[in-house]
Short mmCIF file of all heavy atoms in Angstrom, two decimals:
data_model
loop_
_atom_site.label_atom_id
_atom_site.label_comp_id
_atom_site.label_asym_id
_atom_site.label_seq_id
_atom_site.Cartn_x
_atom_site.Cartn_y
_atom_site.Cartn_z
N LEU J 6 75.67 91.74 94.55
CA LEU J 6 75.04 93.05 94.38
C LEU J 6 74.94 93.68 95.75
O LEU J 6 74.07 93.32 96.58
CB LEU J 6 73.67 92.89 93.75
CG LEU J 6 72.96 94.18 93.34
CD1 LEU J 6 73.81 94.99 92.36
CD2 LEU J 6 71.60 93.86 92.73
N GLY J 7 75.87 94.56 96.07
CA GLY J 7 75.90 95.19 97.38
C GLY J 7 77.18 95.99 97.54
O GLY J 7 77.99 96.14 96.61
N ASP J 8 77.37 96.51 98.72
CA ASP J 8 78.50 97.39 99.04
C ASP J 8 79.76 96.57 99.30
O ASP J 8 79.74 95.65 100.14
CB ASP J 8 78.15 98.23 100.26
CG ASP J 8 79.08 99.42 100.44
OD1 ASP J 8 80.26 99.30 100.12
OD2 ASP J 8 78.59 100.45 100.91
N VAL J 9 80.84 96.87 98.60
CA VAL J 9 82.07 96.14 98.81
C VAL J 9 82.58 96.31 100.23
O VAL J 9 83.24 95.43 100.77
CB VAL J 9 83.15 96.59 97.78
CG1 VAL J 9 83.60 98.03 98.04
CG2 VAL J 9 84.35 95.65 97.80
N HIS J 10 82.22 97.42 100.88
CA HIS J 10 82.59 97.60 102.29
C HIS J 10 82.04 96.46 103.13
O HIS J 10 82.74 95.94 104.02
CB HIS J 10 82.04 98.93 102.80
CG HIS J 10 82.19 99.13 104.27
ND1 HIS J 10 81.26 98.67 105.17
CD2 HIS J 10 83.16 99.73 105.00
CE1 HIS J 10 81.65 98.97 106.40
NE2 HIS J 10 82.80 99.60 106.32
N ASP J 11 80.81 96.04 102.87
CA ASP J 11 80.20 94.98 103.63
C ASP J 11 80.84 93.63 103.35
O ASP J 11 80.98 92.79 104.26
CB ASP J 11 78.70 94.91 103.34
CG ASP J 11 77.97 96.18 103.75
OD1 ASP J 11 78.45 96.90 104.66
OD2 ASP J 11 76.92 96.48 103.13
N VAL J 12 81.26 93.42 102.10
CA VAL J 12 81.95 92.18 101.74
C VAL J 12 83.29 92.11 102.46
O VAL J 12 83.70 91.05 102.98
CB VAL J 12 82.12 92.06 100.21
CG1 VAL J 12 82.85 90.78 99.84
CG2 VAL J 12 80.77 92.13 99.52
N ILE J 13 84.00 93.22 102.50
CA ILE J 13 85.29 93.28 103.21
C ILE J 13 85.09 93.03 104.70
O ILE J 13 85.84 92.26 105.31
CB ILE J 13 85.98 94.64 102.95
CG1 ILE J 13 86.42 94.73 101.48
CG2 ILE J 13 87.18 94.80 103.87
CD1 ILE J 13 86.95 96.10 101.10
N ALA J 14 84.09 93.68 105.27
CA ALA J 14 83.81 93.50 106.70
C ALA J 14 83.52 92.04 107.03
O ALA J 14 83.95 91.52 108.06
CB ALA J 14 82.65 94.41 107.12
N GLN J 15 82.77 91.39 106.16
CA GLN J 15 82.47 89.97 106.38
C GLN J 15 83.76 89.14 106.28
O GLN J 15 84.01 88.24 107.09
CB GLN J 15 81.44 89.49 105.36
CG GLN J 15 81.00 88.04 105.56
CD GLN J 15 80.28 87.83 106.87
OE1 GLN J 15 79.54 88.72 107.33
NE2 GLN J 15 80.45 86.64 107.47
N GLY J 16 84.59 89.48 105.30
CA GLY J 16 85.85 88.73 105.15
C GLY J 16 86.81 88.94 106.29
O GLY J 16 87.62 88.08 106.59
N ALA J 17 86.69 90.09 106.95
CA ALA J 17 87.58 90.41 108.07
C ALA J 17 87.28 89.55 109.29
O ALA J 17 88.10 89.46 110.22
CB ALA J 17 87.48 91.88 108.43
N LYS J 18 86.11 88.89 109.31
CA LYS J 18 85.76 88.04 110.44
C LYS J 18 86.55 86.74 110.48
O LYS J 18 86.62 86.08 111.50
CB LYS J 18 84.26 87.77 110.41
CG LYS J 18 83.40 89.01 110.63
CD LYS J 18 81.91 88.66 110.57
CE LYS J 18 81.06 89.90 110.76
NZ LYS J 18 79.60 89.59 110.71
N ASN J 19 87.13 86.38 109.35
CA ASN J 19 87.96 85.20 109.28
C ASN J 19 89.33 85.49 109.87
O ASN J 19 90.05 86.36 109.36
CB ASN J 19 88.11 84.73 107.82
CG ASN J 19 88.88 83.44 107.67
OD1 ASN J 19 89.53 82.98 108.61
ND2 ASN J 19 88.81 82.87 106.48
N ARG J 20 89.73 84.85 110.94
CA ARG J 20 90.97 85.17 111.65
C ARG J 20 92.19 84.98 110.76
O ARG J 20 93.21 85.61 110.97
CB ARG J 20 91.10 84.31 112.90
CG ARG J 20 90.06 84.61 113.97
CD ARG J 20 90.25 83.75 115.18
NE ARG J 20 91.56 83.94 115.79
CZ ARG J 20 92.01 83.22 116.83
NH1 ARG J 20 91.25 82.28 117.37
NH2 ARG J 20 93.22 83.46 117.31
N GLU J 21 92.10 84.12 109.76
CA GLU J 21 93.22 83.86 108.86
C GLU J 21 93.14 84.71 107.59
O GLU J 21 93.99 84.58 106.72
CB GLU J 21 93.28 82.38 108.51
CG GLU J 21 93.54 81.49 109.72
CD GLU J 21 93.59 80.01 109.35
OE1 GLU J 21 93.32 79.69 108.16
OE2 GLU J 21 93.88 79.20 110.22
N GLY J 22 92.14 85.55 107.50
CA GLY J 22 91.94 86.34 106.29
C GLY J 22 91.16 85.57 105.25
O GLY J 22 91.12 84.33 105.28
N THR J 23 90.56 86.29 104.32
CA THR J 23 89.70 85.65 103.32
C THR J 23 90.24 85.82 101.90
O THR J 23 90.13 84.89 101.09
CB THR J 23 88.28 86.27 103.39
OG1 THR J 23 87.74 86.04 104.71
CG2 THR J 23 87.35 85.67 102.34
N PHE J 24 90.83 86.97 101.60
CA PHE J 24 91.22 87.27 100.23
C PHE J 24 92.73 87.37 100.11
O PHE J 24 93.42 87.82 101.01
CB PHE J 24 90.58 88.60 99.80
CG PHE J 24 89.10 88.62 99.89
CD1 PHE J 24 88.44 89.34 100.91
CD2 PHE J 24 88.32 87.91 98.99
CE1 PHE J 24 87.07 89.35 101.00
CE2 PHE J 24 86.92 87.91 99.09
CZ PHE J 24 86.31 88.63 100.10
N ASP J 25 93.21 86.99 98.92
CA ASP J 25 94.62 87.19 98.58
C ASP J 25 94.83 88.57 97.94
O ASP J 25 95.93 89.12 98.04
CB ASP J 25 95.09 86.11 97.58
CG ASP J 25 95.06 84.73 98.22
OD1 ASP J 25 95.91 84.46 99.07
OD2 ASP J 25 94.15 83.95 97.90
N ALA J 26 93.80 89.10 97.35
CA ALA J 26 93.90 90.44 96.77
C ALA J 26 92.54 91.13 96.84
O ALA J 26 91.49 90.48 96.63
CB ALA J 26 94.36 90.37 95.31
N ILE J 27 92.54 92.41 97.14
CA ILE J 27 91.33 93.25 97.09
C ILE J 27 91.66 94.41 96.15
O ILE J 27 92.60 95.17 96.40
CB ILE J 27 90.96 93.78 98.50
CG1 ILE J 27 90.66 92.62 99.45
CG2 ILE J 27 89.76 94.72 98.39
CD1 ILE J 27 90.44 93.07 100.88
N LEU J 28 90.87 94.54 95.09
CA LEU J 28 91.10 95.57 94.07
C LEU J 28 89.96 96.55 94.15
O LEU J 28 88.79 96.17 93.90
CB LEU J 28 91.18 94.94 92.68
CG LEU J 28 92.08 93.72 92.50
CD1 LEU J 28 92.02 93.21 91.06
CD2 LEU J 28 93.50 94.02 92.90
N LEU J 29 90.24 97.80 94.49
CA LEU J 29 89.19 98.79 94.67
C LEU J 29 89.27 99.85 93.58
O LEU J 29 90.26 100.57 93.46
CB LEU J 29 89.32 99.46 96.05
CG LEU J 29 89.07 98.57 97.25
CD1 LEU J 29 89.15 99.39 98.53
CD2 LEU J 29 87.71 97.87 97.17
N ASP J 30 88.20 99.93 92.81
CA ASP J 30 88.01 101.01 91.84
C ASP J 30 86.54 101.41 91.90
O ASP J 30 85.79 101.28 90.95
CB ASP J 30 88.39 100.55 90.43
CG ASP J 30 88.25 101.64 89.39
OD1 ASP J 30 88.06 102.79 89.80
OD2 ASP J 30 88.30 101.34 88.18
N VAL J 31 86.14 101.88 93.07
CA VAL J 31 84.73 102.18 93.30
C VAL J 31 84.45 103.67 93.21
O VAL J 31 83.32 104.10 93.41
CB VAL J 31 84.27 101.65 94.68
CG1 VAL J 31 84.40 100.14 94.73
CG2 VAL J 31 85.07 102.27 95.83
N ASP J 32 85.47 104.46 92.96
CA ASP J 32 85.31 105.91 92.94
C ASP J 32 86.43 106.46 92.10
O ASP J 32 87.25 105.73 91.54
CB ASP J 32 85.35 106.47 94.36
CG ASP J 32 84.41 107.64 94.56
OD1 ASP J 32 84.44 108.53 93.67
OD2 ASP J 32 83.66 107.70 95.54
N ASN J 33 86.54 107.81 92.01
CA ASN J 33 87.68 108.40 91.32
C ASN J 33 88.91 108.49 92.19
O ASN J 33 89.90 109.10 91.82
CB ASN J 33 87.29 109.80 90.80
CG ASN J 33 86.85 109.73 89.34
OD1 ASN J 33 86.48 108.69 88.83
ND2 ASN J 33 86.88 110.85 88.67
N GLY J 34 88.84 107.88 93.37
CA GLY J 34 89.97 107.88 94.29
C GLY J 34 89.50 107.88 95.72
O GLY J 34 88.29 107.79 95.99
N PRO J 35 90.42 108.00 96.67
CA PRO J 35 90.06 107.89 98.09
C PRO J 35 89.26 109.07 98.62
O PRO J 35 88.88 109.06 99.80
CB PRO J 35 91.44 107.83 98.78
CG PRO J 35 92.41 107.50 97.72
CD PRO J 35 91.85 108.04 96.45
N ASP J 36 88.98 110.08 97.81
CA ASP J 36 88.25 111.25 98.32
C ASP J 36 86.75 111.07 98.25
O ASP J 36 86.01 111.99 98.62
CB ASP J 36 88.68 112.52 97.57
CG ASP J 36 88.43 112.40 96.07
OD1 ASP J 36 87.98 111.33 95.61
OD2 ASP J 36 88.68 113.41 95.36
N GLY J 37 86.28 109.90 97.81
CA GLY J 37 84.82 109.67 97.82
C GLY J 37 84.03 110.60 96.94
O GLY J 37 82.99 111.11 97.35
N PHE J 38 84.50 110.83 95.71
CA PHE J 38 83.82 111.76 94.81
C PHE J 38 82.42 111.32 94.43
O PHE J 38 81.48 112.10 94.42
CB PHE J 38 84.69 111.95 93.55
CG PHE J 38 83.98 112.61 92.39
CD1 PHE J 38 83.72 113.96 92.45
CD2 PHE J 38 83.58 111.89 91.29
CE1 PHE J 38 83.08 114.60 91.38
CE2 PHE J 38 82.93 112.52 90.23
CZ PHE J 38 82.69 113.86 90.29
N VAL J 39 82.27 110.02 94.12
CA VAL J 39 80.98 109.53 93.67
C VAL J 39 80.00 109.32 94.84
O VAL J 39 78.88 109.74 94.80
CB VAL J 39 81.16 108.20 92.88
CG1 VAL J 39 79.82 107.62 92.51
CG2 VAL J 39 82.01 108.43 91.65
N GLN J 40 80.47 108.64 95.86
CA GLN J 40 79.65 108.34 97.02
C GLN J 40 80.41 108.75 98.26
O GLN J 40 81.48 108.20 98.55
CB GLN J 40 79.32 106.85 97.09
CG GLN J 40 78.25 106.37 96.14
CD GLN J 40 76.89 106.56 96.74
OE1 GLN J 40 76.15 107.45 96.38
NE2 GLN J 40 76.52 105.73 97.69
N LYS J 41 79.89 109.71 99.00
CA LYS J 41 80.58 110.12 100.23
C LYS J 41 80.72 108.96 101.21
O LYS J 41 81.65 108.93 102.00
CB LYS J 41 79.84 111.28 100.89
CG LYS J 41 79.95 112.59 100.09
CD LYS J 41 81.40 112.97 99.84
CE LYS J 41 81.50 114.23 99.03
NZ LYS J 41 82.91 114.55 98.67
#
């Protein structure tokens, strides 16, 4: 329960990477319609 941005930022601290796939459907697209 939190912002996926923070989860990604935490995963980025792993020098070898953390995820095999990141699927983003947090808005109606990259224009930040729901949350600026």
